[in-house]
Amino acid sequence: MSTIPSAEVVDGCKTFIPLENNPDVLSYLCGNLSISQDLAFHDILSLSPEFVGEWYPRPCHALILLAHTPIYEAARSTIEPTITEYHSSGPHEPVLWMRQTIGHACGLMALLHIVFNLEGRRYVTPGSELDTLLQQAIQLGPTERAQLLYDSKFLEEAHMDAASGGSSTAPSPRDENHHHFVAFVQEEGQVWELNGGMNGPLLRGTLDQGEDLLSEKGLSLTVKDFLDAAEQDGHEQMSIVAVTGANAVAPRST
């Protein structure tokens, strides 16, 4: 069995190998974290209405987006300063948001933001090490919560194992990373953008009953800004993975 690489301290900060936005890698990471196998990941190859209707399981209540830095900055540079600094904690918050303090860990953060908020956290295995971490995180303020994640050897080993086994050659934690992960979660009709690099959670809007994140309105509240930025700036380095749960139904064959 190969040895799991360790994180490195770069400029005083624990730093991981960047994660691929790849369904196989995300599924493997879920296995490392003892997340329910009912959670599934699907590469979004096209967002044309015809393709969406024929190819992707529905409903889809979470998306993971990976964007090249110029796309991310074009889509979010004016929005980020408007987000209020988050200071909340406790079980009654509408979503659980976590600040990222680990370098190159935005892929892990995106997955955790989804699993810790999607469908009442039903995909976190009760009694698992991840469940223990979640219960601790809920009670902590944002600074202490970030430190809990930073200090977790369990999260480090789970991430580094998955990140070192992707389809491309794994970079060093010391290599520059020019991409950003963003998580979108629909919970109780509300659409949240959850990014540990921002000041807090961002409520994007509300969907009507029967709509999901792959509906026309769902896409407009999530990835449309990034798609528009990519088209305007001529950058194409972006990927989207749809996340579906136990209630997802495969499209009927045509």
Side-chain angles (χ1 to χ4, degrees):
M1 181 176 178
S2 59
T3 303
I4 299 173
S6 298
E8 296 187 31
V9 176
V10 180
D11 296 328
C13 176
K14 181 195 283 189
T15 304
F16 289 171
I17 295 171
L19 199 69
E20 290 183 19
N21 197 25
N22 176 320
D24 291 337
V25 171
L26 292 168
S27 295
Y28 187 90
L29 177 56
C30 283
N32 286 349
L33 297 172
S34 298
I35 292 168
S36 169
Q37 294 182 358
D38 287 334
L39 207 64
F41 303 89
H42 316 273
D43 264 327
I44 298 295
L45 304 178
S46 170
L47 286 173
S48 69
E50 298 80 9
F51 201 93
V52 168
E54 293 180 6
W55 286 95
Y56 304 127
R58 308 288 287 277
C60 169
H61 296 312
L63 297 172
I64 298 176
L65 177 141
L66 177 66
H68 193 217
T69 298
I71 298 173
Y72 179 86
E73 292 180 346
R76 285 294 174 267
S77 60
T78 60
I79 293 177
E80 283 194 3
T82 69
I83 301 173
T84 303
E85 187 79 24
Y86 181 84
H87 296 290
S88 300
S89 63
H92 303 299
E93 287 296 294
V95 288
L96 176 69
W97 176 83
M98 300 163 290
R99 179 177 294 125
Q100 178 186 339
T101 57
I102 304 170
H104 298 175
C106 52
L108 172 66
M109 295 297 293
L111 179 63
L112 292 179
H113 272 129
I114 287 173
V115 174
F116 285 174
N117 291 289
L118 182 64
E119 298 180 39
R121 303 167 181 152
R122 64 181 290 186
Y123 301 104
V124 178
T125 302
S128 66
E129 195 163 354
L130 186 65
D131 185 35
T132 299
L133 185 143
L134 168 62
Q135 300 310 318
Q136 293 174 329
I138 290 171
Q139 304 301 328
L140 298 174
T143 299
E144 295 79 13
R145 188 178 291 167
Q147 192 64 46
L148 175 71
L149 303 185
Y150 190 96
D151 292 338
S152 173
K153 191 66 176 178
F154 165 65
L155 290 181
E156 176 184 334
E157 291 179 349
H159 174 102
M160 293 296 286
D161 181 36
S164 61
S167 60
S168 59
T169 302
S172 163
R174 296 185 174 274
D175 293 341
E176 291 190 25
N177 181 21
H178 300 290
H179 295 80
H180 296 263
F181 274 90
V182 181
F184 297 96
V185 179
Q186 177 186 352
E187 181 62 12
E188 296 186 352
Q190 295 183 315
V191 178
W192 292 90
E193 182 172 333
L194 301 172
N195 177 352
M198 296 202 290
N199 287 333
L202 177 61
L203 178 60
R204 296 289 293 158
T206 303
L207 294 179
D208 295 328
Q209 187 173 0
E211 293 182 313
D212 68 357
L213 296 191
L214 291 179
S215 67
E216 181 179 359
K217 186 176 181 182
L219 292 171
S220 72
L221 294 176
T222 57
V223 300
K224 185 177 184 301
D225 292 349
F226 297 89
L227 294 170
D228 290 346
E231 183 177 358
Q232 292 170 7
D233 291 356
H235 294 282
E236 299 180 353
Q237 295 186 41
M238 187 171 66
S239 66
I240 303 168
V241 169
V243 186
T244 58
N247 61 341
V249 177
R252 287 177 291 182
S253 59
T254 56

